[in-house]
Amino acid sequence: MSVSSEIPDLPDAGTERPEAGVRPPAPAGRRTGLGALLVRLHFYAGVLVAPFLLVAAVTGLLYTFTPQLDAFVYDKELSVAHTGDSVRPPAGQVAAARAEHPTGTLIAVRPGAGDATTEVDFALPGLGEKAHTVYVDPYTDEVTGQLTTWYGSTPLTTWLDDLHRNLHLGTAGRYYSEFAASWLWILVLGGLALWWRRHRGTRTARRLLLPDRAAKQGVRRTRSLHAVTGVWLAVGLLALSATGLTWSRFAGEHFSEALDALRSGTPGVSTTLSGSSAGATGGHDHEAGATDSHTTKGADPAAIDGVLDAARDAGLDGPVEIAVPQDSATAWTVSQTRNTWPVGRDSLAVDASIDQVVDRVDFADWPLLSKLTRWGINAHMGTLFGLANQVLLAVLAVGLICVIVWGYRMWWQRRPTRADRRAPLGAPPARGAWRGVPSAGLAVGVVAVVALGWALPLFGIPLAAFLVVDLVTGVVRGRRVTQPAGGRP
Amino acid sequence: MIAASGLRWTLTLLFALTSAHGFRRTVMPATGRADRVDHALHTAMGLAMIAMVWPWGMSLVAGPQIVVFVAGALWFVCAAPFRAGDGTRFKGLPGALAQAVLMGAMAWMVTLMDSGGTDDGAGGGGAMQGMPGMDMAGSAGAATMTLTGTGPKAVAGLLALASVGFALWWLTQAFDRARDVPTTEAGPVPGGREAALGPACHAAMALGMAATFVLLL
C-alpha cells in the first residue's frame, strides 16, 4: 500500500537550509499553516517529554503486575492455606494481632474472607501515613505475618507505586509524572491530527488503522508504525492522562477545586455521634471529627463485632474496611473496598454503644463526577476489570514504549547523510510555522493555551519556558545573520 | 489580592513586562505626545494591577488611582478622533473604547476595594475585614478577594468576558503585524517586531485583568 500525500516528509537539514537572507517562498508541498505548527509542536513535545513518558510507561508496566507479585512475594501474609467453614469474630483476631504487636494505635481492620487474611492496622509514631499491619488467619486467629503498609498496600506495591508516581524522590519527583501526564494528551491529540491530515484526499480506514506494509525500511515505515500504534492506543492513553492528572499535585488540586465548586466532591459519612448539628440533620462530612468534651475515652476494640454485624445487617456486603475511632464520641465507619466492577464504596457510620447505623452514604448516591473519578482511578490502577484491566494497561505501556522508540528512530532516520552535511539527527521543523495560521485562530489558540496552562501548570510553565528560549534563540540567530561579516568586534 | 502564590507571581511578571514596555515607550524620544500619555497610562495601569494582586497593595490610597483611571478612560475616548495617521477619523475608536473600558474597570476595582476603608495602612487580609460586598478566603496575608453581591459579580463577569474579547482582538492585531515583519531564515529582522509589541502588550494586560476578574467571582 502506498501512502500518497500532499504533505511530504520533514526536510533534511542538509537539503533545506538556504544561505542567510530573506526567507524564500515555501517549496511546493511543504507543510504550511496549522499542519506545520502541529508538526513543530509534536516534534518538540515528543523529543522533550518522551523520556518522562518512557519512565512512566516502564514503571507503570511494573506496577501493572503488582497483584501477581504480591501473591507471590507475600503469600504467607496475605492468604491462608486452608479455609474453614466460617470465619471467627473479628474482635478475637484484633486481640491476636494486638498480642503479637502490643504497641501502636489500632486504626483500621479489614476482615478476611475466602482465602484472604484479616488485616489489622496500627499507627506508629514515625511511620507517617503508613501503618504497621498484622495479618491474621480469620479461621484460626493465628498471626501469619506483619508488614509496613500504605493504605493497605504491601511494601512491594507501595515501592512500585512510589516509583511510578515520584521515582522515590518525594514531592519533587511527583513533578515528573505530572509533567508526563500533562503533555501526554497533547502528544496523542497532536499525533492523531497529523495522521488524519496526512491522509487528506486518500483517507481510508485501512490507511489510518493499519501499518503501511508497502513502505520499505526507512522513515516512512517507522512513521507508519509510530502513527498507527498511536491511533490504536489513543483512547487508552487519553484516559491514562486524564486519570493521572486527577491525583497529580497541581492539576489535581485544580481538579479538586473544580469538583468542590460543582458540589461533586466525594461524600463521606458523618461520624459525630452526639451534640452535633451534622449528626442531628443527617448531613455528611468530608472530614468528620468528634467535638464532645465528655467522651474522650478511646474506642473499645471489642466493639468491632457489633459494628461489623450492624453493617452486614444494613446490607454492606463484600470486602470492607472498618475504621476505628480514637474516642467514644465518634462513630465507627465501615466502608466497602471493592475495586472491581461494579465498584463497591458504600459507607456506614455505626454507633458502637448501641450497634446501630447512624449515617450512610451509598456509592450510587455519589455525584457523577465523583463516581467517574473513582472508576478512573481504579481503571488506571488496573483493578476495575481485574486481569483484563491489567492486560490492557500492560498493552498500553508496551505500546507507548514502542511509539516512543519509533518516534526517536524517525528523528534519527531523518538525519542528513550527505558527506558534506552529515549530522547525527534530523533537523527540527523550521521556525515561524505560526505564520501559516490565520491570526484570529492563533489568538484563540493563545488564550486557550493560557487557560490550559493555568489549569495544568506543568503544561503551561514548560511551554512558556520553551517559547521564551525559542524566542531568544530566534532573536540571537536573526542578529547574527543580519550582521555584515566583521561588522561587530 | 490573590492567595495562590504561583498565580500572583505570574500576574506580577505579566504586568511588570507590560509596564516596562509602557515606560520604555513613554520615555523614548521618538514617541509622540499623545502616545506618550497613552503609554504613561498603561504603565500606571500595570503598576496598579501589580499592587492589586499583593496584600500590600490594599493599603494604597485609592483616590488618586481612581482619578487617574477615570481621566485615562476619558482621555482615550476624547483623543481618539484627533489622532493622526489613521486614515479615517474614527478608525481608532474601537481600540480607544477598549482602552477606556479597561481604564474604567481599573477605577471600578480600586473603588470596590476601597469601599471598606483600607487606607489605614493595615496590610494583609486584616485590612479587608468587614468590606461590604467582598469576602476573603485563606489565611491573613494570603487571601483571595471574592465578590458576594450579585451586581458586582455580574459586572466582574461581564468585564472578564470583555477583557478576553479585547485580548483576542489585540492578539489578532499583534499576529497580523508580526506577520508583516521582514523575516530571514534565522528569524524576524531585529527591531521589526516593535509594531507587534504594542497590541501584544495590550492583549497581555487584558488577559491578566480577565484572570483577576474571574478570581473575583
Side-chain angles (χ1 to χ4, degrees):
Chain A
M1 184 182 70
S2 163
V3 177
S4 67
S5 170
E6 61 187 304
I7 305 166
D9 296 343
L10 283 168
D12 285 350
T15 58
E16 285 274 343
R17 195 176 298 282
E19 296 304 315
V22 175
R23 183 190 296 273
R30 182 171 175 169
R31 283 177 197 274
T32 57
L34 187 62
L37 196 62
L38 279 175
V39 166
R40 192 162 152 77
L41 174 71
H42 195 69
F43 172 82
Y44 277 112
V47 165
L48 299 174
V49 180
F52 298 90
L53 283 172
L54 190 63
V55 172
V58 171
T59 56
L61 183 63
L62 291 174
Y63 185 85
T64 302
F65 302 116
T66 49
Q68 287 74 23
L69 290 172
D70 272 348
F72 178 73
V73 176
Y74 302 112
D75 179 55
K76 182 173 77 76
E77 287 86 0
L78 298 178
S79 57
V80 295
H82 305 287
T83 56
D85 294 332
S86 60
V87 296
R88 296 195 175 193
Q93 299 172 53
V94 171
R98 173 57 85 192
E100 189 74 18
H101 185 76
T103 59
T105 307
L106 177 69
I107 52 172
V109 179
R110 289 175 290 281
D115 67 346
T117 53
T118 294
E119 300 171 14
V120 184
D121 288 349
F122 296 98
L124 290 174
L127 281 186
E129 281 190 322
K130 292 182 177 176
H132 184 87
T133 300
V134 179
Y135 298 86
V136 184
D137 185 332
Y139 303 100
T140 62
D141 287 354
E142 285 177 12
V143 172
T144 61
Q146 302 179 48
L147 296 171
T148 298
T149 59
W150 185 66
Y151 294 105
S153 297
T154 64
L156 178 61
T157 296
T158 306
W159 191 89
L160 288 171
D161 184 54
D162 274 349
L163 184 69
H164 182 57
R165 288 198 312 160
N166 59 35
L167 302 176
H168 292 276
L169 295 174
T171 303
R174 286 186 69 182
Y175 301 147
Y176 113 84
S177 53
E178 181 164 355
F179 176 62
S182 298
W183 281 89
L184 177 57
W185 66 275
I186 299 277
L187 284 164
V188 171
L189 293 181
L192 286 176
L194 283 173
W195 193 233
W196 181 260
R197 289 172 64 92
R198 187 174 192 82
H199 292 287
R200 195 164 37 193
T202 61
R203 208 172 282 139
T204 63
R206 190 168 187 276
R207 283 181 173 152
L208 290 170
L209 297 173
L210 294 176
D212 182 3
R213 283 182 292 177
K216 294 175 185 171
Q217 293 291 333
V219 68
R220 191 168 147 191
R221 184 179 174 83
T222 311
R223 185 197 303 110
S224 172
L225 291 168
H226 171 88
V228 166
T229 310
V231 169
W232 281 99
L233 301 181
V235 173
L237 294 180
L238 288 173
L240 285 180
S241 174
T243 51
L245 284 171
T246 58
W247 72 82
S248 63
R249 185 170 181 206
F250 298 115
E253 197 177 306
H254 289 159
F255 181 72
S256 298
E257 286 169 4
L259 284 183
D260 289 342
L262 296 168
R263 298 181 185 280
S264 293
T266 302
V269 290
S270 171
T271 55
T272 305
L273 283 177
S274 57
S276 153
S277 57
T281 59
H284 303 308
D285 282 352
H286 287 271
E287 286 180 23
T291 52
D292 264 13
S293 58
H294 69 283
T295 48
T296 54
K297 202 177 71 171
D300 178 10
I304 192 170
D305 289 348
V307 169
L308 184 59
D309 287 344
R312 295 298 189 200
D313 289 345
L316 215 66
D317 57 359
V320 294
E321 176 174 290
I322 304 165
V324 182
Q326 298 312 304
D327 56 65
S328 53
T330 305
W332 293 56
T333 57
V334 186
S335 307
Q336 289 179 318
T337 57
R338 192 173 61 238
N339 289 322
T340 50
W341 187 272
V343 169
R345 287 281 158 176
D346 296 351
S347 195
L348 300 175
V350 179
D351 183 348
S353 63
I354 51 175
D355 289 341
Q356 282 197 348
V357 174
V358 292
D359 195 17
R360 174 174 194 136
V361 174
D362 287 338
F363 184 67
D365 299 327
W366 283 23
L368 179 63
L369 281 175
S370 285
K371 284 185 192 172
L372 288 172
T373 306
R374 184 73 250 168
W375 290 327
I377 288 172
N378 289 352
H380 191 117
M381 296 179 76
T383 58
L384 190 60
F385 300 112
L387 186 61
N389 202 155
Q390 287 180 260
V391 171
L392 182 66
L393 286 175
V395 168
L396 282 172
V398 172
L400 181 57
I401 292 167
C402 291
V403 167
I404 291 168
V405 171
W406 283 322
Y408 279 117
R409 183 172 163 76
M410 282 161 63
W411 189 21
W412 176 75
Q413 285 176 320
R414 283 203 200 99
R415 72 197 186 285
T417 51
R418 270 173 45 178
D420 57 333
R421 290 179 177 177
R422 195 162 287 161
L425 293 167
R431 304 181 77 250
W434 63 272
R435 288 171 184 278
V437 182
S439 296
L442 282 173
V444 172
V446 166
V447 172
V449 165
V450 167
L452 270 173
W454 175 79
L456 312 175
L458 290 192
F459 161 70
I461 294 169
L463 180 64
F466 173 81
L467 289 175
V468 168
V469 171
D470 193 46
L471 197 66
V472 171
T473 306
V475 169
V476 170
R477 286 179 59 189
R479 284 191 176 152
R480 276 189 198 149
V481 168
T482 51
Q483 273 168 21
R488 181 173 286 188
Chain B
M1 185 162 45
I2 294 168
S5 61
L7 188 59
R8 183 192 280 174
W9 278 107
T10 304
L11 288 175
T12 300
L13 182 66
L14 184 81
F15 293 129
L17 287 173
T18 58
S19 298
H21 172 73
F23 181 73
R24 188 175 68 87
R25 293 300 304 267
T26 304
V27 299
M28 270 171 66
T31 307
R33 235 180 262 171
D35 286 347
R36 210 179 289 276
V37 176
D38 292 358
H39 292 305
L41 284 169
H42 290 142
T43 309
M45 203 170 169
L47 293 175
M49 283 305 298
I50 290 174
M52 222 171 269
V53 301
W54 288 91
W56 53 262
M58 298 300 103
S59 58
L60 292 181
V61 182
Q65 295 185 69
I66 295 168
V67 169
V68 166
F69 294 125
V70 170
L74 292 173
W75 160 260
F76 278 110
V77 175
C78 297
F82 303 102
R83 289 179 192 274
D86 286 330
T88 59
R89 178 164 272 227
F90 295 102
K91 193 180 172 187
L93 198 57
L97 282 176
Q99 301 275 16
V101 169
L102 293 184
M103 283 281 161
M106 288 296 300
W108 177 74
M109 269 201 289
V110 174
T111 307
L112 205 64
M113 288 173 189
D114 185 57
S115 57
T118 57
D119 56 346
D120 56 359
M128 300 296 292
Q129 284 170 3
M131 179 178 293
M134 299 189 93
D135 269 354
M136 304 292 288
S139 58
T144 295
M145 294 174 303
T146 52
L147 299 170
T148 51
T150 310
K153 276 191 170 188
V155 173
L158 284 174
L159 286 173
L161 283 175
S163 301
V164 171
F166 296 151
L168 286 172
W169 185 58
W170 275 314
L171 269 176
T172 305
Q173 282 190 355
F175 284 121
D176 278 343
R177 293 186 189 182
R179 206 185 302 274
D180 295 336
V181 176
T183 306
T184 68
E185 181 64 22
V189 170
R193 285 201 174 104
E194 192 65 38
L197 210 50
C201 281
H202 296 337
M205 176 72 84
L207 269 185
M209 288 185 71
T212 312
F213 289 129
V214 168
L215 290 172
L216 283 173
L217 293 174

